[in-house]
Amino acid sequence: MKKTLYVVFVGLISIVFSGCVVKQEVVMDYSPEKQSALKSYPEVELSVNDARKYVLSKEKPGEFIGYYRSGVGIPYPVSTIDDVPLAEVIKADLIKELEALGFVSKSSNKSLIVDIKEWKFDAYQNANFNYSIDVSVINNKNKKLVTKNISDHIVIRGTFMGGAKAGVERDMPKIYIGIVKKILRENKEILVFLK
């Protein structure tokens, strides 16, 4: 009887900590708050590029954002929702952010260039998430006016029952919102050169 209970217990623990490995996705979405006294600024041409080495080399697809590991450490890739490339996800949300900040007029003389240098988490009991993004403003003569890097290493704590997967699903949406804000809304130097 004790042996049977032990086998059942070990089986349940294995299921909990290995997780379903068929198709793994993480929600990342941003809905910006509009400024109360909205001014009108020049329209900005936006370019978001996935410059991760493993994406450029075709080792990983553009929708890749990290790994969940099974109970024995086997990595399983995780993607964005509906396998939309990460650069497209971020670009769509930055377009909304630009509009919310008032960049709506018709004359365009500056470009906002966003290069994703790193974006990956590795989740076992906890998850280690690393990102590095270069944000640049270029004028209509193709002169780079400013470049700012935003980057961080974030430890995402797993939960007792759901492990790192549950922690990533809980925290990544909030982390993503914070990163989008750091790219533009909270990036004062970039905003100065865009206006």
Side-chain angles (χ1 to χ4, degrees):
M1 178 68 174
K2 286 184 179 179
K3 188 175 181 182
T4 303
L5 286 174
Y6 175 77
V7 171
V8 170
F9 177 75
V10 170
L12 287 173
I13 291 297
S14 297
I15 290 170
V16 167
F17 288 102
S18 64
C20 176
V21 296
V22 178
K23 175 73 172 161
Q24 302 292 345
E25 299 176 325
V26 173
V27 174
M28 295 185 303
D29 187 40
Y30 178 67
S31 296
E33 297 176 17
K34 287 195 175 182
Q35 291 185 337
S36 52
L38 196 63
K39 294 181 180 179
S40 181
Y41 298 111
E43 186 177 89
V44 174
E45 186 176 336
L46 174 63
S47 176
V48 180
N49 311 298
D50 198 330
R52 295 178 289 175
K53 291 179 181 178
Y54 42 87
V55 173
L56 293 175
S57 69
K58 308 293 186 188
E59 180 185 341
K60 298 291 179 192
E63 63 268 18
F64 170 79
I65 54 173
Y67 291 110
Y68 289 142
R69 292 185 181 271
S70 69
V72 293
I74 299 170
Y76 295 95
V78 184
S79 67
T80 58
I81 295 296
D82 296 330
D83 292 335
V84 177
L86 176 63
E88 290 183 22
V89 173
I90 293 175
K91 183 173 183 177
D93 287 328
L94 284 176
I95 288 171
K96 291 186 285 186
E97 183 75 308
L98 283 165
E99 291 173 353
L101 292 171
F103 292 91
V104 293
S105 75
K106 293 181 180 178
S107 60
S108 175
N109 60 1
K110 291 180 183 173
S111 298
L112 179 66
I113 311 295
V114 178
D115 292 317
I116 307 163
K117 301 290 188 177
E118 180 60 287
W119 186 293
K120 181 175 69 174
F121 65 80
D122 197 333
Y124 189 38
Q125 293 175 338
N126 296 312
N128 289 292
F129 172 54
N130 293 288
Y131 74 89
S132 178
I133 299 171
D134 285 345
V135 186
S136 304
V137 177
I138 296 173
N139 66 15
N140 57 1
K141 296 179 181 177
N142 210 28
K143 180 183 177 183
K144 191 173 288 187
L145 304 176
V146 64
T147 296
K148 296 291 286 185
N149 176 265
I150 60 165
S151 58
D152 204 354
H153 168 81
I154 301 170
V155 176
I156 301 171
R157 301 289 176 194
T159 67
F160 176 72
M161 290 300 292
K165 181 177 187 292
V168 169
E169 290 175 350
R170 176 197 64 215
D171 291 353
M172 188 56 75
K174 293 178 282 187
I175 291 169
Y176 176 74
I177 288 170
I179 293 171
V180 173
K181 286 182 177 180
K182 286 179 183 178
I183 291 173
L184 192 57
R185 185 176 293 255
E186 296 173 0
N187 202 331
K188 303 303 181 187
E189 192 169 351
I190 292 294
L191 284 174
V192 164
F193 279 95
L194 279 180
K195 293 176 180 179

